[in-house]
Amino acid sequence: MELCDIPAYELSLLLRQKQISAEEITRACLERIDAVDGRSGALDSGSLTPEDEQKVHAFITITRESALNQARAVDQKLAAGDDPGLLAGIPFTTKDIFCVRGTPSTAASRILANYTAPYTATPVTRMEAAGAVMLGKVNLDEFTYGSSNESSAFQPAPRNPWNPAHVPGGSSGGSASSVAAGEAALSLGTDTAGSIRQPAAFCGVVGVKPTYGRVSRYGLIAFGSSLDCPGPVARNVVDAALMLQVIAGADPRDSTAANVPVPDYLAQLDGGVKGLRIGLSPDYFRIAFPDPQTGEYREQPLPVDIETPVLRAAEVLASLGAEIVEDVPMPNTRYGIPAYFVISRVEAASNLHRYDGVKYGYRTPQRTGDLTKLYRQTRNEGFGLQPKLRILMGMYVSAAQYSAQYYQRALRVRTLIRRDFEQAFDRSGKYRLDALLTPTTPTTAFKMGAVYGDSVLMQYADQLTVPANHAGIPGLSLPGGLDAERLPVGIQLLGPDFSEDMLLRIGRAYELATQTEDWRKVKPLVLR
Amino acid sequence: MSDSIDRDTFDHLVGLAALELDQQQADYLLRELNNQLKAIRELAAIPLDESVPASLHGVPYVSSVSPELREDVWQPHPNPEEIIAQAPDTRDGYIVVPDIPHTTLD
């Protein structure tokens, strides 16, 4: 096995035993990037070549030299006998929605393409302080607005390492694809409706959406400020726990970062599931979505390929001593997307007003007579269609005359979604769950071009992940098998506020129990 | 609830959003907005009694988990020139913009 394919935790042990150096790890990852990534995403990059269609294209910016320097600094610390930090020498990528000092921080948008961040986001600062080595900034949907990465202004967009004809998911598609392809051991993503968990499921890796406030948002280019959660993407649960350990915790620079002690995630990881109550809800085994032709709402069961791995996981957990609680009602699940269409758009429109061609970022090269014209031309040229769509919808549903029927109503529906979880997790209630086990996505990775352009259908890819964002609770997606086309299927664990330790523990138990299963031996297509 | 966004309302929104669209973009965006509104209309069917409050956040902000606010003290940036240098057009440490249109309020 090549160094770049070894999980972070094992790399860390090998490094401390001085069997390998941090520079060797970094070089192995850079070689993998050279072998499978193809050209990085760029503006106005021309049409796709047949070779492009076989590559991963996870990156926008590769920070080769600074990565090697960071790795050498770790090696020097080790040689001097100093503690190099919990993530010493571990290569990671950063979704290009985080500011990192001295790097282009683009949000995959033309409007920020020339922006070089003058400061670094807290989660990245913490990764680097723990000795992790940043290999670069990875691609995403423009401003995170999508579930496939196809909306990035930086093309070629990332492709799924398991089959490059398929999307990697989104919006943290570059994060998930870079980890799945062995380009990096870890990636820092964000999740506003499922943007860590959905691409993690599509790419066969582990993704954690922490509790809202568990990880600081300082330095994150904002989308939905009441929903955005930075979190880890990793190749297994141990690595995800290791990364969360480093990035979690209060931050004086983010007053919404919760003042809650961070438990020792690794110490509790092998605690097993004996006696835990894990729920299954019929409301997570069907989807309701508007028919693309008629607009009528249709409800249908999930495909068998999606349902089976979840039920199998329940059996595995039961055999390990967990108690499976069936028929847990989560009746407001189906309203997650309609409420999200309103709440996230209002927050997005508000957050996007700052991009005006005056203070930083893109400014129209056209000569404009007055400031209003400058704003309009800059925003028209700088934003792609998806940001424009969100701004317009946000303004409409929050307008004085419509706010009560749309925005205020959506916020009250959000309360109902939260109550579903409170009732399921209530310690003295009927169900008393430690976690809810669900599929992560209604389908496996769809083909490039199959959904893009239909903004409604695209949003419904997040139907099973978005309730956790409304409720603020943590969610973990982990690989649960492969479908008939050998594309990964994700299973999801949801738990009460700040129960990441419990979710990681359950995930680890499942991972260990299924370690030798045949589907785990199959590699992504780009690595075969 | 109103049925759909008509062209006049759309044009008004485009102005408020400080955007300027060509016809092709406008057609796509108006169509998608109305498709999304169909999905949003599901919300109208949900029985909501008066006791259901709005949630601005999922996880409640309570004093036990919310950090104290920082003291409101001025902290000079170590290098303001670096920040100003991000602006597309600057002169003598100021950001340059075209004329700011004047409107006379009634």
Side-chain angles (χ1 to χ4, degrees), chain A residues 193-492:
Chain A
S195 278
I196 287 175
R197 290 162 289 158
Q198 186 255 22
F202 279 11
C203 292
V205 294
V206 173
V208 184
K209 173 228 171 286
T211 308
Y212 181 82
R214 178 72 294 179
V215 178
S216 167
R217 292 182 294 119
Y218 178 75
L220 163 64
I221 297 169
F223 165 13
S225 300
S226 79
L227 301 154
D228 295 338
C229 295
V233 177
R235 243 171 276 140
N236 64 35
V237 173
V238 182
D239 287 5
L242 196 65
M243 179 165 163
L244 186 61
Q245 194 74 54
V246 168
I247 61 175
D251 178 9
R253 288 172 159 156
D254 176 3
S255 63
T256 64
N259 207 7
V260 174
V262 180
D264 186 336
Y265 295 119
L266 288 168
Q268 301 178 34
L269 211 48
D270 292 323
V273 296
K274 211 174 179 80
L276 296 184
R277 291 171 63 84
I278 297 172
L280 294 171
S281 170
D283 296 305
Y284 275 84
F285 286 92
R286 54 178 169 238
I287 44 165
F289 65 97
D291 184 285
Q293 265 75 50
T294 65
E296 291 298 309
Y297 253 70
R298 282 205 322 232
E299 205 168 76
Q300 66 182 53
L302 291 181
V304 175
D305 273 356
I306 297 289
E307 185 189 68
T308 306
V310 185
L311 298 179
R312 267 265 303 135
E315 281 171 23
V316 168
L317 293 168
S319 73
L320 297 171
E323 192 177 337
I324 303 299
V325 182
E326 293 190 58
D327 294 325
V328 179
M330 303 292 288
N332 295 293
T333 305
R334 63 174 291 183
Y335 302 125
I337 293 294
Y340 182 78
F341 264 130
V342 175
I343 295 168
S344 69
R345 272 49 174 178
V346 172
E347 296 185 8
S350 171
N351 280 322
L352 288 176
H353 274 303
R354 69 191 68 173
Y355 305 105
D356 56 8
V358 172
K359 304 176 290 296
Y360 51 84
Y362 178 83
R363 178 185 281 195
T364 178
Q366 298 182 52
R367 289 183 66 82
T368 52
D370 69 51
L371 188 61
T372 313
K373 195 85 183 144
L374 173 86
Y375 290 156
R376 289 183 177 181
Q377 289 191 354
T378 295
R379 288 161 65 83
N380 182 45
E381 294 162 16
F383 284 134
L385 284 169
Q386 297 308 316
K388 286 172 181 161
L389 190 51
R390 278 151 183 83
I391 295 168
L392 292 167
M393 182 56 96
M395 304 209 67
Y396 181 72
V397 294
S398 60
Q401 63 271 43
Y402 303 121
S403 171
Q405 71 190 48
Y406 293 127
Y407 185 51
Q408 292 302 322
R409 194 169 181 88
L411 291 175
R412 294 169 72 206
V413 171
R414 185 175 192 174
T415 304
L416 298 182
I417 294 170
R418 167 91 186 170
R419 281 182 186 169
D420 281 354
F421 289 109
E422 284 174 348
Q423 281 162 14
F425 300 138
D426 182 356
R427 287 274 151 228
S428 51
K430 185 174 172 191
Y431 302 101
R432 304 182 306 285
L433 299 185
D434 293 289
L436 188 70
L437 171 65
T438 81
T440 309
T441 54
T443 65
T444 53
F446 38 88
K447 282 208 164 116
M448 306 270 307
V451 182
Y452 187 56
D454 185 335
S455 66
V456 175
L457 205 55
M458 186 66 86
Q459 193 70 75
Y460 276 82
D462 295 331
Q463 185 155 177
L464 307 178
T465 46
V466 74
N469 299 79
H470 285 304
I473 61 159
L476 165 68
S477 178
L478 65 165
L482 301 174
D483 73 359
E485 289 183 71
R486 302 226 286 185
L487 289 167
V489 181
I491 59 175
Q492 177 175 236

Side-chain angles (χ1 to χ4, degrees), chain A residues 32 35-36 53-56 159-166 177 180-182 202-204 447 482 485-488 519 521-528:
Chain A
R32 174 61 58 81
V36 303
E53 292 175 2
Q54 304 303 316
K55 297 292 186 185
V56 178
R159 290 170 170 262
N160 195 314
W162 287 83
N163 182 341
H166 291 246
S177 59
F202 279 11
C203 292
K447 282 208 164 116
L482 301 174
E485 289 183 71
R486 302 226 286 185
L487 289 167
W519 61 270
K521 295 176 189 129
V522 184
K523 283 184 175 183
L525 195 62
V526 297
L527 301 182
R528 277 180 224 155

Side-chain angles (χ1 to χ4, degrees), chain A residues 13-24:
Chain A
L13 294 177
L14 293 171
L15 192 71
R16 279 156 211 274
Q17 292 161 359
K18 305 225 163 72
Q19 294 190 37
I20 52 172
S21 71
E23 187 173 342
E24 284 173 314

Side-chain angles (χ1 to χ4, degrees), chain A residues 101 115-116 252 256 259 297 334 358-359 363 370-371 373 379-380 388 396 409 411-412 414-415 453 455, chain B residues 2 17-18 20 25 28 32 36 42-43 46 49 52-53 55-56 61 65 70 82 86-88 96 99:
Chain A
R101 187 179 167 81
Y115 173 64
T116 300
T256 64
N259 207 7
Y297 253 70
R334 63 174 291 183
V358 172
K359 304 176 290 296
R363 178 185 281 195
D370 69 51
L371 188 61
K373 195 85 183 144
R379 288 161 65 83
N380 182 45
K388 286 172 181 161
Y396 181 72
R409 194 169 181 88
L411 291 175
R412 294 169 72 206
R414 185 175 192 174
T415 304
S455 66
Chain B
S2 63
E20 223 172 44
Q25 288 190 23
Y28 170 79
E32 290 300 309
Q36 291 186 5
E42 272 290 280
L43 297 175
I46 306 170
D49 70 54
V52 178
S55 289
L56 287 165
Y61 280 146
V65 302
R70 286 194 305 266
E82 188 187 23
Q86 291 277 349
V96 180
D99 278 349

